[in-house]
């Protein structure tokens, strides 16, 4: 995925004010103004090389985790189905926890019978035998998915066996502490020893979806890895740094996998 930078370059405004006001915290953002159609069209209509690589690595990670009939969660699902697809063969249930009412509505429609544009994403999954064995992913998703309007900050403790959280910790607030808190709450929501995958943008300056601007934290690799390692073990990190950059507004994308400490 590639987020369109916020107008004016986000935090790098040329305002003559003597100090810059801090950007919004999560609760101050109009999340219901998030337009899932625009977001999907911009980010996922074509399967990009960086998303393909993240999906391929996430697929291999979960396939190697020996999960079965797991209670799974995807947090901040927004308008992206590929993290959920990566959990599908191993899931007894997948809870898609999303805060924006507009995205919740979009997700409910998609899980009933998802758009053909997600087929190339499933094809990447199905290159692995553990996924190829699942011949009707649409029907499986409709059976196991449960969409709810739930905030990452309200997730219950130790409720799931496996989870994903893609491009959320970086992109739900301008407050660095909230970003770290989101990662901690996600990891804490999984039972000890649960496999997980977390993706973030590094160096994000905020992003636009249609007419609306949304905040971000310009995360650095070291702080993300430290935040994950505080609640996890067997952590592996992969960074995608498109050369030349596909778009302004972020530096790179980071995928981390591991198992939660609990
Ligand atoms: C940049 S989008 C990422 C969406 C999707 N996971 C992806 O990979 O493209 C950030 C998502 O976080 C959601 N969000 C914002 N605040 C949240 C909160 N407190 N709890 C859960 N999700 C939240 C937004 O509505 C949006 O769908």
């Amino acid at each position: 995925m590639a987020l369109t930078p916020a107008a004016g370059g986000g935090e790098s405004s040329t305002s003559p004010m003597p100090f810059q006001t801090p950007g919004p915290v999560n609760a101050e953002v109009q999340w219901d103004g998030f337009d899932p159609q625009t977001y999907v069209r911009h980010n996922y209509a074509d399967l990009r090389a960086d998303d393909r690589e993240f999906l391929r690595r996430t697929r291999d990670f979960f396939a190697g985790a020996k999960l079965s009939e797991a209670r799974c969660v995807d947090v901040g699902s927004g308008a992206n189905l590929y993290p959920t697809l990566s959990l599908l063969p191993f899931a007894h249930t997948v809870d898609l926890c999303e805060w924006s009412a507009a995205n919740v509505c979009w997700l409910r429609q998609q899980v009933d019978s998802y758009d053909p544009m997600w087929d190339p994403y499933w094809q990447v999954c199905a290159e692995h035998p553990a996924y190829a064995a699942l011949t009707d992913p649409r029907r499986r998703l409709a059976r196991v998915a449960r969409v709810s309007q739930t905030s990452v900050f309200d997730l219950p403790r130790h409720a799931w066996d496996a989870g994903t959280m893609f491009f959320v910790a970086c992109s739900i607030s301008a407050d660095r502490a909230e970003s770290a808190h989101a990662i901690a709450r996600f990891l804490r929501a999984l039972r000890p020893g649960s496999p997980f995958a977390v993706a973030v943008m590094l160096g994000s300056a905020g992003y636009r979806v249609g007419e609306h601007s949304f905040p971000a934290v310009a995360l650095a690799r070291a702080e993300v890895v430290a935040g994950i390692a505080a609640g996890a073990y067997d952590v592996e990190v992969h960074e995608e740094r498109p050369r030349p950059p596909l778009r302004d507004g972020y530096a790179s994308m980071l995928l981390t996998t591991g198992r939660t400490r609990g």
Side-chain angles (χ1 to χ4, degrees), residues 15-207:
S15 158
M17 287 167 61
F19 57 87
Q20 291 189 327
T21 52
V25 296
N26 185 256
E28 293 170 336
V29 178
Q30 296 296 316
W31 291 107
D32 293 350
F34 199 106
D35 176 355
Q37 321 286 351
T38 301
Y39 182 81
V40 166
R41 206 166 36 247
H42 181 70
N43 289 297
Y44 299 119
D46 298 313
L47 172 53
R48 294 159 36 125
D50 44 15
D51 286 313
R52 175 189 294 274
E53 185 58 16
F54 273 23
L55 179 55
R56 202 184 62 73
R57 286 173 180 269
T58 305
R59 171 200 76 188
D60 290 352
F61 171 68
F62 283 129
K66 306 292 173 226
L67 287 165
S68 168
E69 289 296 303
R71 281 158 293 191
C72 301
V73 66
D74 179 55
V75 177
S77 311
N80 180 9
L81 286 191
Y82 87 69
T84 295
L85 295 179
S86 76
L87 293 164
L88 208 50
F90 321 108
H92 178 67
T93 51
V94 185
D95 288 304
L96 293 90
C97 298
E98 164 59 46
W99 191 233
S100 154
N103 287 343
V104 165
C105 187
W106 181 89
L107 285 165
R108 290 206 166 116
Q109 290 165 354
Q110 288 292 312
V111 300
D112 273 354
S113 180
Y114 61 77
D115 191 281
M117 62 145 283
W118 297 105
D119 289 342
Y121 294 82
W122 178 256
Q123 280 157 19
V124 173
C125 291
E127 289 165 7
H128 191 292
Y131 292 75
L134 176 53
T135 53
D136 193 346
R138 260 188 193 77
R139 190 186 290 186
R140 175 69 68 90
L141 183 65
R143 186 158 64 77
V144 302
R146 306 185 302 197
V147 178
S148 69
Q149 188 171 23
T150 303
S151 170
V152 62
F153 302 118
D154 296 331
L155 294 175
R157 188 168 193 184
H158 295 175
W160 291 280
D161 306 314
T164 49
M165 186 168 78
F166 275 44
F167 309 116
V168 172
C170 49
S171 307
I172 59 169
S173 171
D175 179 349
R176 187 161 243 102
E178 271 196 322
S179 168
H181 189 42
I183 289 177
R185 289 302 293 243
F186 168 72
L187 295 176
R188 203 191 75 144
L190 304 179
R191 290 192 183 77
S194 299
F196 67 86
V198 169
V200 295
M201 319 290 296
L202 298 182
S204 176
Y207 58 107

